[in-house]
Amino acid sequence: MSTDQTDVFALEAREALEAARREGRELAETERVVAMVEARTPQEALARTRANEANANSAAPGSREPMMINLGPQHPSTHGVLRLVTELDGEVVRDIHPVIGYLHTGIEKQCENKTFWQAITLVTRMDYLSPFFNIHAYTQSVEKLLDLEVPTRAQWLRVMISELNRITSHLVWLGTSGLELGAITVFFYAYRERDRALDLFEMISGERMNNRYFQVGGCADDMPPGFEKLLRQFVTEMPSRIDEYEGMLSANPIWLERTRGVGILPADQLIDLGITGPALRAAGVDLDLRKARPYSGYEHFDFTVPVGTNGDAYDRYLIRLREMRESVRIIEQCLDGMPEGPHIADDRKVVLPPRGELATSMEALIHHFKLVTEGFQVPEGEAYSAVECPRGELGCYVVADGGPKPVRVHMRDPSFVNLQALRPMAKNAYLADLIAMIGSMDNVMGGVDR
Amino acid sequence: MSVQDQIKGFGITFRTMLQKPLTLGYPEVKTPVFPRFRGRHQLWRYDNGLEKCVGCSLCVAACPADCIRVVAEENTQEHRVSAGERYARIYEINMSRCIFCGYCEVACPFDAITLEHSYELSERERDLMVYTKDMLLTPAPKQPPLRTEGQRV
Ligand code: SF4
Ligand code: SF4
């Protein structure tokens, strides 16, 4: 063992000792062991386990090698197909090595072979819980390249649907996180409301998931008759439903026990890792793109950004619930002040002509043929634009070369970046807490792998 | 946990038992869909029996999943199939590739193809998922109920 390694071990051991002294207790055996073992790759760990097989049965503290456990990819509690190679010492996680890529779809690459218009149907499928945010980021980037103005009504429609999408995404998170920690009831309650929101998606966009509703220049269609009434019913009922979830969990002793003080990282470290969204705001950093860099008319809405104090899993839970309430407020403002006007820009070079004109206007028909067969040309350049998705900053970087197909589409997906926080968080935590941490970060594997 | 808490808890349980269930007894009861719902495709004819599709392949160009195949042929005096100059001799949609984006419907300038509401499309064999022109010209045998404006489930 080299000297610097010993130093590291000594440092960790000292930290554990200090922690034990602060809490006024003896150093547990597992803590002593954990304090002495540094992070290693699975291969190294395996080699060392083989080399140390001789004293595998020894009970002496510190002589045990970590047990390598595969958590996932097919595991009901890893929030999707996430595989974690976990080094376990009894119940304590010494280290984790996330293995991703099980949901790789190659969507970013496929976009290069599709026209800008067709790529919309692909990008919705990346982060499958927030389809509207994916297209929003993508269309914004393309609109930036085209220098295309989106009509106010389209912007407001986008805000309204995005906020509804935020609610459904948080509801899935709430339901599945509850399920992972043993609270089955909340799953049914959350999915009850989610299904009604999906009905609204179906009503306006024709699909319940992977909706291709936003188009370059606006939205594919206006609100259908009766939509406003249904949405209003939904938002009037939603606050009382959120009260129900809070009644089930906020003071639930098991929920408190499992989430309080779990998965805390200092705010500086979160910022260094690039974490955004509720996970960052729970640690007290007030960063929300809707406020920091308003897009799509968010500056016209009155809402607050909930910020936490402790940065633990419980805070993240509270923040998501409060965000749902804020989303409800934004939707109400959208419904009250929805401006009149077209739902999509009137630029014949980019936007398909209205259906009714095809039968009457030869010019419209020619534009239609050209747009469908060739697609629209996007001037050479590159653009990045980001939206605040339920998990954080979802950015889309598009490079165009003047042709009808993008040269590169890249997504900065918050799930992928937020996953980086899991390893420092999980070190020296209990295995049961690791599940709570994965849940509280709300990573969607479709977004991680793309 | 005190006795009061338990009584409160059971109170919720019993109150919930009196509520109307939110679920549907699928497959006996079919889930209704909204008018914009996009399901199985259908090709249309004019009232005089001629097909609306003229085999222009615009839908093929629009389809992001590359699942439509159209082979066009000239109409002749004796053999007139569509109203236009040409008609689609082969029109196939591979339903196992289709993502129901509705771009074909948007692309078609003659309203020849639309996405209807039928959503029960599973088959036992992959080959059966390739819908031919004849299949697409006949409406789906089972149509799900349509939700009226603003109706709640
Ligand atoms: S709905 Fe979309 S994927 Fe399906 S055939 Fe039409 S264009 Fe292709
Ligand atoms: S369905 Fe419409 S777009 Fe497709 S080939 Fe026929 S006429 Fe052309």
Side-chain angles (χ1 to χ4, degrees):
Chain A
M1 197 181 284
S2 68
T3 38
D4 56 350
Q5 256 179 326
T6 341
D7 285 346
V8 173
F9 294 167
L11 191 72
E12 287 204 4
R14 216 176 297 126
E15 272 171 10
L17 260 175
E18 266 170 24
R21 207 174 298 127
R22 267 201 308 278
E23 292 155 28
R25 59 177 166 82
E26 287 279 326
L27 197 64
E29 188 213 330
T30 39
E31 277 177 327
R32 203 162 43 231
V33 176
V34 165
M36 283 173 65
V37 176
E38 244 299 82
R40 279 162 298 156
T41 64
Q43 291 80 12
E44 281 171 355
L46 196 67
R48 224 171 112 168
T49 314
R50 294 243 168 84
N52 279 302
E53 250 159 19
N55 52 7
N57 294 325
S58 159
S63 65
R64 285 187 311 185
E65 280 300 309
M67 192 187 204
M68 310 293 288
I69 294 278
N70 246 327
L71 185 65
Q74 276 94 9
H75 192 280
S77 295
T78 54
H79 235 76
V81 276
L82 171 63
R83 177 178 159 210
L84 297 171
V85 178
T86 316
E87 289 182 26
L88 277 184
D89 186 18
E91 282 255 35
V92 177
V93 177
R94 283 186 186 178
D95 203 355
I96 55 165
H97 307 277
V99 183
I100 60 169
Y102 290 94
L103 222 53
H104 183 64
T105 43
I107 287 177
E108 284 181 355
K109 183 72 193 162
Q110 279 188 58
C111 286
E112 295 166 17
N113 294 323
K114 303 282 168 202
T115 61
F116 281 97
W117 180 51
Q118 288 176 328
I120 290 173
T121 63
L122 298 179
V123 291
T124 55
R125 287 163 161 75
M126 289 188 177
D127 178 346
Y128 43 79
L129 288 186
S130 48
F132 290 103
F133 292 94
N134 293 328
I135 331 180
H136 202 169
Y138 169 77
T139 46
Q140 264 188 21
S141 295
V142 179
E143 281 152 9
K144 221 182 202 176
L145 282 169
L146 286 163
D147 207 8
L148 184 69
E149 186 72 31
V150 180
T152 334
R153 190 181 174 84
Q155 289 188 359
W156 282 53
L157 280 171
R158 283 180 177 184
V159 168
M160 187 174 80
I161 296 297
S162 294
E163 292 306 320
L164 193 59
N165 194 184
R166 192 183 309 278
I167 292 177
T168 61
S169 174
H170 281 349
L171 283 175
V172 173
W173 164 81
L174 182 72
T176 51
S177 304
L179 204 61
E180 282 157 16
L181 301 187
I184 291 185
T185 322
V186 68
F187 176 79
F188 293 120
Y189 277 61
Y191 269 60
R192 174 188 64 188
E193 268 71 67
R194 175 179 183 255
D195 214 60
R196 284 190 50 208
L198 290 192
D199 282 347
L200 289 164
F201 287 162
E202 181 190 324
M203 196 173 179
I204 196 165
S205 73
E207 282 161 314
R208 296 175 76 82
M209 290 184 84
N210 302 331
N211 325 60
R212 56 119 185 113
Y213 179 59
F214 300 167
Q215 301 275 303
V216 176
C219 299
D221 227 329
D222 212 332
M223 289 189 279
F227 181 79
E228 197 179 326
K229 188 167 137 246
L230 265 192
L231 185 56
R232 231 179 244 288
Q233 272 175 6
F234 179 80
V235 288
T236 13
E237 277 173 30
M238 201 57 205
S240 66
R241 306 293 190 177
I242 301 173
D243 290 342
E244 271 184 352
Y245 314 143
E246 288 197 323
M248 268 186 284
L249 292 175
S250 288
N252 182 330
I254 302 172
W255 182 259
L256 289 174
E257 201 60 35
R258 294 289 310 265
T259 55
R260 270 229 207 122
V262 168
I264 303 179
L265 281 187
D268 304 336
Q269 197 178 352
L270 288 174
I271 294 171
D272 287 347
L273 286 164
I275 313 298
T276 45
L280 180 67
R281 291 196 283 274
V285 184
D286 186 3
L287 177 75
D288 188 317
L289 288 182
R290 293 175 293 173
K291 286 274 188 206
R293 247 185 290 148
Y295 57 89
S296 195
Y298 265 111
E299 62 273 16
H300 303 303
F301 296 97
D302 171 33
F303 64 101
T304 51
V305 176
V307 174
T309 44
N310 303 326
D312 56 3
Y314 186 69
D315 264 15
R316 287 173 209 143
Y317 151 76
L318 284 183
I319 283 189
R320 292 209 175 92
L321 281 193
R322 274 159 62 198
E323 273 188 7
M324 282 203 255
R325 291 187 195 277
E326 294 302 321
S327 295
V328 167
R329 276 181 61 202
I330 299 176
I331 296 175
E332 274 170 351
Q333 290 169 42
C334 279
L335 285 172
D336 290 338
M338 182 63 75
E340 291 299 320
H343 58 82
I344 194 157
D346 187 29
D347 185 336
R348 288 297 154 85
K349 292 264 175 323
V350 177
V351 177
L352 288 169
R355 201 111 200 121
E357 281 184 25
L358 292 187
T360 51
S361 153
M362 195 61 207
E363 201 193 335
L365 198 62
I366 292 168
H367 277 302
H368 183 89
F369 261 77
K370 242 182 102 63
L371 281 176
V372 169
T373 48
E374 274 174 35
F376 48 84
Q377 323 277 323
V378 175
E380 198 178 333
E382 48 186 67
Y384 175 85
S385 93
V387 296
E388 181 72 27
C389 118
R391 280 158 276 284
E393 176 182 344
L394 176 78
C396 184
Y397 175 66
V398 177
V399 183
D401 64 351
K405 289 176 183 175
V407 172
R408 179 86 171 102
V409 175
H410 176 70
M411 285 279 182
R412 185 248 184 236
D413 197 284
S415 302
F416 177 67
V417 183
N418 291 1
L419 193 60
Q420 316 302 321
L422 201 57
R423 192 167 175 206
M425 249 182 222
K427 270 193 193 173
N428 300 358
Y430 284 108
L431 180 61
D433 288 346
L434 175 63
I435 301 298
M437 285 171 202
I438 300 171
S440 76
M441 293 305 286
D442 192 17
N443 303 307
V444 170
M445 295 314 288
V448 174
D449 297 336
R450 298 193 288 286
Chain B
M1 216 191 259
S2 68
V3 182
Q4 272 149 352
D5 285 345
Q6 297 213 355
I7 293 173
K8 222 170 105 189
F10 280 120
I12 294 176
T13 312
F14 287 121
R15 226 174 319 128
T16 315
M17 279 163 81
L18 298 176
Q19 282 172 9
K20 211 173 135 253
L22 290 159
T23 44
L24 288 175
Y26 187 84
E28 284 83 23
V29 184
K30 304 290 181 217
T31 317
V33 296
F34 282 105
R36 280 189 192 172
F37 180 82
R38 294 197 291 273
R40 181 193 185 274
H41 305 63
Q42 191 179 342
L43 285 171
W44 294 93
R45 288 176 196 275
Y46 287 107
D47 291 341
N48 60 7
L50 289 180
E51 286 166 17
K52 286 189 179 179
C53 176
V54 296
C56 69
S57 291
L58 266 196
C59 48
V60 181
C63 180
D66 297 334
C67 60
I68 311 181
R69 177 165 165 250
V70 176
V71 178
E73 213 164 80
E74 299 283 327
N75 279 315
T76 53
Q77 220 39 273
E78 311 81 67
H79 186 67
R80 173 158 284 279
V81 183
S82 82
E85 238 172 70
R86 304 201 298 166
Y87 72 100
R89 183 167 57 83
I90 297 177
Y91 194 102
E92 277 176 3
I93 297 183
N94 187 344
M95 287 301 212
S96 53
R97 281 188 69 98
C98 175
I99 56 175
F100 299 95
C101 62
Y103 273 11
C104 45
E105 184 179 10
V106 174
C108 181
F110 307 105
D111 297 324
I113 189 158
T114 56
L115 274 79
E116 296 299 300
H117 300 131
S118 175
Y119 51 78
E120 290 174 319
L121 302 171
S122 49
E123 296 285 357
R124 283 188 184 274
E125 276 164 54
R126 254 164 208 276
D127 293 353
L128 299 176
M129 295 298 285
V130 180
Y131 281 29
T132 57
K133 192 170 119 185
D134 292 334
M135 290 161 84
L136 291 166
L137 275 167
T138 30
K142 282 175 292 180
Q143 293 285 353
L146 201 63
R147 255 182 237 188
T148 49
E149 263 175 37
Q151 177 196 340
R152 274 187 63 174
V153 210

